[in-house]
Amino acid sequence: MLLQVSNISKNFGGVQATKDFSVTVDKGEIVGIIGPNGAGKTTIFNVISGVYTADEGSILLSGQNVTKLPQHEITKLGIGRTFQNIRLFKGLSIIENVMCAFDPQSKYSFIGSIIPTPKRKAEEKRGKELCEHYLEIVGLKDYINEAPENLAYGYQRRLEIARALMCNPKVLLLDEPAAGLNPTEVGELTELILKLSKDFGFATMLIEHRLELVMGISHKIVVQNFGKTIGVGTPKEVQNNPAVIEAYLGAEEEDNA
Ligand SMILES: Nc1ncnc2c1ncn2[C@@H]1O[C@H](COP(=O)(O)OP(=O)(O)OP(=O)(O)O)[C@@H](O)[C@H]1O
Ligand SMILES: [Mg+2]
């Protein structure tokens, strides 16, 4: 199993953001997490990606225990993510925003950090080519020198995904990638997530309020409410689960009424 999360809990000064959460995600599998606002979905990603350390429980990545590791080490070991609120650097071009995530394999020598040695130049070239490659995959090859803030929202989301790919992840965590997108963009994003999952074999976890997206592509859905899991199953199973209908899908129908 690529990712095995067992019984993780996280408390913030009395708020039990996540309690006893477990999930497994295998290579090529897409797992959706849904639930109302404040259900603890982002907290699950923050704990898995090492932004916060779990109070209890364990996280195994390809069998290796990463529960207590700091964020940068977890990223290096292969857990990539995007954020609910897009995090792009203004003042940097699109390719520079992706290059930020480049980790040179051959660390520059002391001399290389002062003057551009052939080794350093070669490594920078490799980084740039990698950026271009990932920007092409997400459909942004034609915009590499533009400012990210000039991009449509859907493209900014893709830029974040390209940056996550730079860390060569095995697990990809996408936190509401469809937020703010129009229906056409949601369709394109759906295709992209499926393509990445198939071509790279990622274990993908997807937090999403846009049910048409998450229900359409997830192999398994976990439903969260008040920090707890209230339903797990195929999209069809959770749609027919009375507890889920009452807590989440029902509430949404009321909102739309
Ligand atoms: N760093 C933090 N400090 C204090 N409380 C936090 C922190 N992060 C999350 N919480 C609280 O934990 C609960 C779960 O928050 P979380 O962001 O995980 O929910 P969510 O399901 O992602 O919600 P949304 O759908 O609105 O994004 C909320 O009550 C939130 O206020
Ligand atoms: Mg959230």
Side-chain angles (χ1 to χ4, degrees):
M1 188 55 65
L2 202 41
L3 180 69
Q4 185 163 6
V5 177
S6 307
N7 309 99
I8 55 169
S9 296
K10 185 71 194 171
N11 191 305
F12 294 107
V15 175
Q16 190 71 59
T18 296
K19 177 133 185 73
D20 218 13
F21 177 84
S22 299
V23 76
T24 56
V25 195
D26 217 345
K27 203 169 159 16
E29 197 179 14
I30 300 177
V31 174
I33 303 183
I34 63 172
N37 293 116
K41 305 179 298 297
T42 296
T43 301
I44 292 167
F45 276 13
N46 282 340
V47 169
I48 295 174
S49 62
V51 174
Y52 300 124
T53 305
D55 299 331
E56 286 167 58
S58 67
I59 300 153
L60 303 185
L61 177 64
S62 304
Q64 182 182 355
N65 192 336
V66 301
T67 320
K68 306 274 180 202
L69 294 184
Q71 188 179 2
H72 66 273
E73 281 185 39
I74 292 183
T75 306
K76 251 190 194 162
L77 287 170
I79 298 185
R81 73 172 290 183
T82 63
F83 292 87
Q84 185 168 349
N85 303 312
I86 296 178
R87 296 185 179 186
L88 298 174
F89 301 108
K90 287 189 180 166
L92 295 185
S93 68
I94 286 171
I95 192 160
E96 285 165 346
N97 261 277
V98 178
M99 193 69 181
C100 291
F102 178 61
D103 185 26
Q105 257 168 20
S106 53
K107 298 283 177 226
Y108 311 139
S109 62
F110 175 65
I111 301 284
S113 67
I114 304 169
I115 53 164
T117 57
K119 200 172 167 190
R120 174 173 146 191
K121 277 194 196 154
E123 194 57 8
E124 282 173 356
K125 184 163 173 278
R126 188 178 73 84
K128 188 161 175 273
E129 283 168 1
L130 215 54
C131 289
E132 287 172 355
H133 175 61
Y134 290 133
L135 283 166
E136 183 168 16
I137 287 174
V138 303
L140 289 178
K141 185 86 193 282
D142 294 339
Y143 304 92
I144 58 173
N145 295 315
E146 306 247 344
E149 56 269 33
N150 293 341
L151 289 178
Y153 210 57
Y155 282 13
Q156 293 189 17
R157 291 272 176 203
R158 287 163 177 262
L159 173 51
E160 269 212 312
I161 293 174
R163 193 166 56 191
L165 297 182
M166 281 300 280
C167 301
N168 199 17
K170 299 182 192 124
V171 175
L172 190 59
L173 309 176
L174 303 171
D175 195 348
E176 297 198 29
L181 305 196
N182 66 39
T184 313
E185 290 174 324
V186 172
E188 289 166 359
L189 178 77
T190 306
E191 293 301 316
L192 177 63
I193 296 171
L194 282 172
K195 181 178 154 56
L196 294 176
S197 161
K198 189 163 160 274
D199 293 355
F200 291 89
F202 294 140
T204 307
M205 283 179 83
L206 176 66
I207 295 175
E208 211 20 272
H209 283 291
R210 304 288 283 265
L211 295 184
E212 76 276 23
L213 164 57
V214 72
M215 293 290 185
I217 63 173
S218 300
H219 300 100
K220 181 165 75 185
I221 303 265
V222 185
V223 189
Q224 294 296 113
N225 197 18
F226 295 114
K228 297 202 183 99
T229 300
I230 57 165
V232 186
T234 62
K236 205 164 181 193
E237 282 165 355
V238 298
Q239 280 172 46
N240 294 323
N241 178 331
V244 173
I245 293 168
E246 192 181 330
Y248 184 57
L249 301 174
E252 193 162 83
E253 272 163 22
E254 275 168 31
D255 286 348
N256 293 338

